[in-house]
């Protein structure tokens, strides 16, 4: 197999580290650049000590001009300026993990494989979805496509502390998080914009309000989403529709028994459970915020863009218990 020369820009953070953990074992990848302005000159294992024995690369602040693929793990708002300062070949596949191009501007395609797989396969510029955005979209996409949602949708989501990034903040301290829970960005979360964009693409008549309550969880990784809305059909009809919608999805599965978060943590899986109760269709969903919600999905998009098997390098084991 010819190796794909690959660079990771902004590789010192959580998502950058997760990308490296996947890519060092990816059979189609040759990592030629691990970039970090803050860690330049240091060995990668000094920032990501779990990679000892897997990686002997050194961080650099130099940006290669000729590579086959680039993953951008820069802070939100910095990608556009970076690409202006460091233009890549039109043939280079660029996968951006920030919010900068999720509106599909500047030639970027929104990289949610369960909805945009065909476009991703021919794309050179891919905007990777946000973590909560991935979970909420996958929880509701089949219902949106069916036109079942006519009114407000109630959504709650709990994310692990790694969702806040590696930079320390008051609400990411162990002493704040442990044994604790709190709400943030009530009904105003930044991912709602990209979620509504996808829903309108699935159903041009969609105009319902998404009442999203995000919670900070007292665990390090994973996202749990609960969404519900009035539904006149049967539970069996809903389960069948969800299974049909995701029948060709490489990583999204509709379970017929109760699920829990640890089934998905440390994997690129999205696991759903659908039930009807009190006239409401209720969807539970579990993903890993750093994998299916970020770096794992980015590699999934990489595989699609290069015509590789979608699961290549992503057969990861859940922590289970």
């Amino acid at each position: 197999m010819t190796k794909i020369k690959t660079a990771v820009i902004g590789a010192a953070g959580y998502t950058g580290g997760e990308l490296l953990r996947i890519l060092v074992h990816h059979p189609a990848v040759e990592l030629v650049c691990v970039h970090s302005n803050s860690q330049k000159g240091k060995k990668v294992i000094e920032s990501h000590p779990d990679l000892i024995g897997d990686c002997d690369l050194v961080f650099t602040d130099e940006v290669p001009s000729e590579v086959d693929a680039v993953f951008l793990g820069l802070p939100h708002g910095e990608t556009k300026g970076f690409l202006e300062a460091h233009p890549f070949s039109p043939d280079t596949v660029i996968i951006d993990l920030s919010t900068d191009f999720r509106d599909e501007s500047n030639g970027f395609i929104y990289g949610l494989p369960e909805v945009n797989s065909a476009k991703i396969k021919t794309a050179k510029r891919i905007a990777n979805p946000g973590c909560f955005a991935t979970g909420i979209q996958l929880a509701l996409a089949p219902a949106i496509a069916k036109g079942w949602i006519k009114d407000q949708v109630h959504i709650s989501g709990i994310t692990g502390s790694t969702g806040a990034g590696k930079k320390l903040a008051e609400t990411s301290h162990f002493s704040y998080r442990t044994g604790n829970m709190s709400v943030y960005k009530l009904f105003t979360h930044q991912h709602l914009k990209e979620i509504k964009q996808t829903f309108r693409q699935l159903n041009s008549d969609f105009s319902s309000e998404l009442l999203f309550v995000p919670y900070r969880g007292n665990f390090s990784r994973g996202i749990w989403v609960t969404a519900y809305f009035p539904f006149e059909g049967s539970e069996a009809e809903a389960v069948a529709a969800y299974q049909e919608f995701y029948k060709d999805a490489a990583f999204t599965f509709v379970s017929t028994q109760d699920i829990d978060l640890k089934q998905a943590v440390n994997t690129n899986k999205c696991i759903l459970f659908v039930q009807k109760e009190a006239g409401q269709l209720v969807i539970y969903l579990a993903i890993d915020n750093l994998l299916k919600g970020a770096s794992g999905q980015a590699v999934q998009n990489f595989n699609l863009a290069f015509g590789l098997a979608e699961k290549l390098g992503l057969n990861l084991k859940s922590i289970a218990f």
Side-chain angles (χ1 to χ4, degrees):
M1 180 183 292
T2 302
K3 299 284 188 176
I4 299 166
K5 295 185 183 299
T6 303
V8 178
I9 308 297
Y14 287 142
T15 56
E18 287 297 274
L19 278 169
L20 296 180
R21 292 177 188 100
I22 297 169
L23 295 176
V24 295
H25 297 295
H26 195 295
V29 169
E30 179 187 355
L31 266 176
V32 297
C33 173
V34 180
H35 174 278
S36 171
N37 288 324
S38 64
Q39 302 300 310
K40 64 180 179 180
K42 295 182 179 179
K43 292 181 178 180
V44 167
I45 59 172
E46 292 183 56
S47 290
H48 307 298
D50 55 290
L51 284 173
I52 189 168
D54 295 322
C55 179
D56 58 3
L57 294 170
V58 174
F59 287 111
T60 179
D61 63 347
E62 297 181 5
V63 179
S65 58
E66 296 184 8
V67 286
D68 302 315
V70 177
F71 291 91
L72 298 175
L74 298 169
H76 302 307
E78 294 187 12
T79 301
K80 185 176 181 180
F82 176 87
L83 290 176
E84 290 172 351
H86 305 283
F88 292 95
S89 163
D91 294 325
T92 299
V93 173
I94 298 176
I95 301 172
D96 178 31
L97 281 79
S98 79
T99 61
D100 292 24
F101 299 112
R102 291 177 189 164
D103 60 357
E104 298 193 318
S105 60
N106 291 64
F108 277 76
I109 294 298
Y110 189 68
L112 187 67
E114 290 79 0
V115 173
N116 283 335
S117 179
K119 292 181 179 179
I120 295 165
K121 288 177 181 178
T122 60
K124 297 297 184 183
R125 303 290 184 268
I126 301 167
N128 213 58
C131 52
F132 263 139
T134 296
I136 293 170
Q137 287 172 108
L138 295 180
L140 293 171
I144 298 292
K146 284 285 189 181
W148 288 343
I149 296 176
K150 309 293 185 182
D151 206 340
Q152 295 176 338
V153 186
H154 294 266
I155 308 162
S156 62
I158 307 173
T159 186
S161 58
T162 52
K166 198 170 185 178
K167 188 176 180 180
L168 193 60
E170 181 181 351
T171 55
S172 60
H173 278 284
F174 176 80
S175 56
Y176 179 91
R177 286 269 183 165
T178 186
N180 199 11
M181 183 174 286
S182 58
V183 171
Y184 70 107
K185 297 179 182 177
L186 177 68
F187 298 164
T188 63
H189 197 281
Q190 67 272 15
H191 289 179
L192 289 171
K193 183 177 180 180
E194 63 189 272
I195 293 167
K196 291 176 181 177
Q197 173 182 272
T198 296
F199 288 175
R200 284 191 291 266
Q201 290 172 353
L202 286 169
N203 187 333
S204 60
D205 293 329
F206 174 78
S207 61
S208 298
E209 193 173 8
L210 303 177
L211 298 177
F212 175 40
V213 184
Y215 295 91
R216 302 179 183 95
N218 63 349
F219 47 90
S220 62
R221 60 193 298 163
I223 281 178
W224 180 273
V225 169
T226 302
Y228 62 91
F229 56 88
F231 181 61
E232 295 180 356
S234 68
E235 180 173 305
E237 176 189 357
V239 171
Y242 269 71
Q243 290 175 334
E244 175 65 21
F245 191 92
Y246 292 122
K247 67 180 181 180
D248 297 323
F251 291 102
T252 298
F253 306 97
V254 181
S255 176
T256 55
Q257 59 187 11
D258 282 335
I259 65 172
D260 63 78
L261 185 59
K262 285 186 178 181
Q263 289 174 252
V265 170
N266 204 50
T267 79
N268 198 53
K269 292 178 182 178
C270 166
I271 306 175
L272 301 108
F273 180 69
V274 181
Q275 71 177 96
K276 184 176 180 181
E277 188 69 36
Q280 306 287 311
L281 190 66
V282 185
I283 302 98
Y284 306 108
L285 173 144
I287 62 170
D288 186 309
N289 59 296
L290 292 179
L291 289 168
K292 183 57 175 167
S295 302
Q297 185 155 243
V299 174
Q300 185 181 353
N301 283 322
F302 168 93
N303 288 341
L304 288 169
F306 282 97
L308 303 170
E310 196 167 347
K311 289 189 173 183
L312 193 64
L314 290 169
N315 290 307
L316 307 173
K317 174 194 168 295
S318 73
I319 61 173
F321 51 82

